[in-house]
Amino acid sequence: MASFAFANSMLLLNVLLIGLCLAHPINDIETQGWSSDEPLCTSGPLGMESGAIPDGSLTASSYYSSTYLPRKARLNEGNSHWWAPATSAKQGSWIQVDLGLPGPVITGLIIQCRPSEYLITFSIQYSSTGESESWHDLENAEGDTIRFNKDFTGGQRVTVTFPQVLKTRFLRILPITWISYPDIAFEVLGCRDGIIRLAGGDDALRGRVEIYHDSAWGAVCDTNWDIQDATTVCRQLGFPGASEAKNGSFYGATELPIVMDRVACNGTELYLRKCSYLCKENSPCTSTAGLICNPRGVVRLVGGPTKTSGRVEIYVDGKWGAICDTEWDITDAEVICKQLGYRGAKQAKSGAFFGQGSGPNLIDGVKCDGSEAKITDCPSHCWEKPKCNNTETAGVICVEG
Ligand SMILES: *[C@@H]1O[C@H](CO)[C@@H](O)[C@H](O)[C@H]1NC(C)=O
Ligand SMILES: *[C@@H]1O[C@H](CO)[C@@H](O)[C@H](O)[C@H]1NC(C)=O
Ligand SMILES: *[C@@H]1O[C@H](CO)[C@@H](O)[C@H](O)[C@H]1NC(C)=O
């Protein structure tokens, strides 16, 4: 660790120094939903048993009686009265836990039932907002809802490992079949290390960068903080890159310790902790790093005679690009116009009607059914290699408000 003393004059050694921070080895995670990658850090209990997950985080669709409240679903509540759904509720009952924002990485659960009154099968749902329309079933690779079937008969703790890592805020257990009154206690398994949040900004796109490290939130020093570093952070948060890096505690000072210094990303890393950096302990930095991310799925009209018409461009992975006109029709145009806040579409235009753009062509064969809120929600032939040139791009004429 003595090498830290020389770090200021040895910036070029950044890459070598990463090794000093590897007390918590990290791999990749996805920012939403499933990832095929390993979790960022070693999976462990997230706090049902320790109490780190507070009582208020636990809710249920119903409970059998006041001795079977949702907050009783902790493994150490004693094994006589855990959570049990009301017998009248049967199918569709659930118990839910709010793991806080930003959601941790979840790898599985530990579940325990009473030896005589236990689950037979159950499913899992997750959501990033907890709103009623936002829940997804945990599915297998074929897209079928997974019905977990574990042996709870002896009253032992059973570890349920999810087939892939999940990153989410809300998690639900839904009993499907059971014996008698299924008393259920559980623990959520996962980790928070390396998770990022933005603080001190007016909206979700901007703020001071804070990272969860060693069981606590910490801040990032602004020394050498630049757009490449900001780009990597925004990508980790699920945004298409950054528009600005902010130094000098632009989004306010913080009481939190600074845990990363001299961050040096090249902007292609998926996670901040993949970049080279110094652990903070020996640096005198007090000024924090901030940023502004690019919004997701942005659409604009370019090259038209009025603001309600033009070539459709979408912002993906840090650049504006066009949409190929293959099968481009009025239904697709409607989705674009509504996404832009207009009443609807008057015409769909093909063949680079509003001129050729200089960006790449990003989607081909868009086929909306008209119910979508955003063009990126519509099915399309491909995002990977659109087969059109700049003379074959899509445009719209919208009808204003
Ligand atoms: C912030 O970054 C700019 C551009 O690199 C630099 O000129 C300025 O001195 C920095 N300010 C602080 C407070 O570090
Ligand atoms: C960026 O950094 C990553 C991780 O250090 C490295 O694998 C990648 O090759 C770099 N990319 C460029 C364009 O320098
Ligand atoms: C674009 O593609 C069309 C259809 O394949 C073709 O006719 C046209 O020559 C191409 N234009 C350019 C500039 O490559």
Side-chain angles (χ1 to χ4, degrees):
M1 289 292 165
S3 58
F4 270 122
F6 305 106
N8 286 350
S9 56
M10 297 176 77
L11 243 192
L12 288 177
L13 284 183
N14 255 1
V15 172
L16 293 176
L17 289 168
I18 325 174
L20 294 173
C21 300
L22 286 183
H24 304 273
I26 330 152
N27 295 305
D28 294 357
I29 52 153
E30 232 1 293
T31 50
Q32 268 302 326
W34 290 110
S35 161
S36 55
D37 298 318
E38 292 300 307
L40 266 174
C41 50
T42 310
S43 180
L46 283 172
M48 290 288 287
E49 192 158 16
S50 68
I53 296 173
D55 285 353
S57 307
L58 289 158
T59 43
S61 58
S62 69
Y63 46 88
Y64 180 61
S65 78
S66 60
T67 45
Y68 298 84
L69 295 170
R71 67 177 167 78
K72 298 257 184 175
R74 299 179 187 277
L75 288 170
N76 51 345
E77 270 292 320
N79 68 354
S80 55
H81 299 299
W82 289 323
W83 170 76
T87 42
S88 58
K90 284 284 179 189
Q91 294 305 316
S93 300
W94 46 258
I95 182 163
Q96 169 181 321
V97 57
D98 176 355
L99 298 158
L101 261 179
V105 175
I106 300 166
T107 55
L109 297 165
I110 298 173
I111 300 183
Q112 190 174 15
C113 300
R114 274 208 280 181
S116 54
E117 303 183 346
Y118 51 84
L119 277 179
I120 300 171
T121 55
F122 64 95
S123 64
I124 299 290
Q125 288 185 338
Y126 61 96
S127 156
S128 56
T129 62
E131 287 159 16
S132 55
E133 300 301 310
S134 68
W135 290 89
H136 303 276
D137 289 331
L138 213 56
E139 293 175 345
N140 60 20
E142 285 75 49
D144 303 320
T145 301
I146 301 173
R147 285 171 74 107
F148 291 94
N149 185 342
K150 299 278 174 182
D151 180 9
F152 294 104
T153 50
Q156 71 276 27
R157 293 182 175 200
V158 176
T159 299
V160 178
T161 304
F162 294 166
Q164 287 171 292
V165 171
L166 182 64
K167 179 154 184 318
T168 194
R169 175 172 172 181
F170 295 89
L171 197 72
R172 273 181 185 174
I173 301 174
L174 292 96
I176 300 172
T177 53
W178 62 80
I179 301 284
S180 193
Y181 311 101
D183 280 46
I184 296 169
F186 68 98
E187 176 66 86
V188 185
L189 295 174
C191 58
R192 296 179 191 269
D193 240 38
I195 301 292
I196 283 176
R197 68 182 181 193
L198 300 182
D202 290 337
D203 59 33
L205 294 174
R206 66 198 78 219
R208 185 171 68 236
V209 179
E210 296 183 353
I211 184 163
Y212 199 83
H213 172 78
D214 254 354
S215 310
W217 289 100
V220 176
C221 178
D222 68 353
T223 310
N224 301 338
W225 184 252
D226 64 14
I227 190 75
Q228 276 108 318
D229 306 323
T231 298
T232 291
V233 170
C234 291
R235 290 169 62 122
Q236 176 170 351
L237 290 167
F239 295 112
S243 62
E244 269 184 77
K246 297 285 195 183
N247 59 6
S249 296
F250 186 87
Y251 292 107
T254 175
E255 302 279 290
L256 297 177
I258 287 189
V259 295
M260 288 176 99
D261 191 7
R262 296 185 183 275
V263 173
C265 309
N266 61 26
T268 67
E269 302 88 350
L270 294 177
Y271 312 107
L272 181 59
R273 285 183 48 174
K274 288 213 142 188
C275 304
S276 62
Y277 62 93
L278 300 182
C279 299
K280 164 63 179 61
E281 293 86 23
N282 296 279
S283 152
C285 180
T286 52
S287 180
T288 58
L291 47 71
I292 304 176
C293 296
N294 291 317
R296 260 184 291 258
V298 164
V299 168
R300 68 180 183 187
L301 302 183
V302 183
T306 63
K307 70 180 168 71
T308 54
S309 60
R311 181 172 72 245
V312 180
E313 292 196 349
I314 59 172
Y315 194 87
V316 177
D317 286 342
K319 51 185 182 290
W320 289 97
I323 299 181
C324 297
D325 63 9
T326 319
E327 296 182 53
W328 184 250
D329 63 17
I330 190 76
T331 315
D332 306 320
E334 283 279 342
V335 172
I336 291 286
C337 293
K338 290 195 169 142
Q339 180 172 355
L340 288 165
Y342 299 128
R343 184 146 57 88
K346 188 154 48 173
Q347 264 184 285
K349 291 290 190 185
S350 302
F353 184 86
F354 293 109
Q356 300 178 20
S358 54
N361 299 320
L362 296 173
I363 335 181
D364 200 355
V366 177
K367 227 171 169 22
C368 309
D369 67 21
S371 66
E372 300 89 350
K374 305 192 295 295
I375 196 74
T376 46
D377 293 340
C378 299
S380 64
H381 294 170
C382 85
W383 276 89
E384 300 296 313
K385 292 190 182 67
K387 289 196 196 63
C388 72
N389 60 40
N390 287 351
T391 67
E392 304 162 297
T393 52
V396 294
I397 302 174
C398 299
V399 184
E400 205 164 355

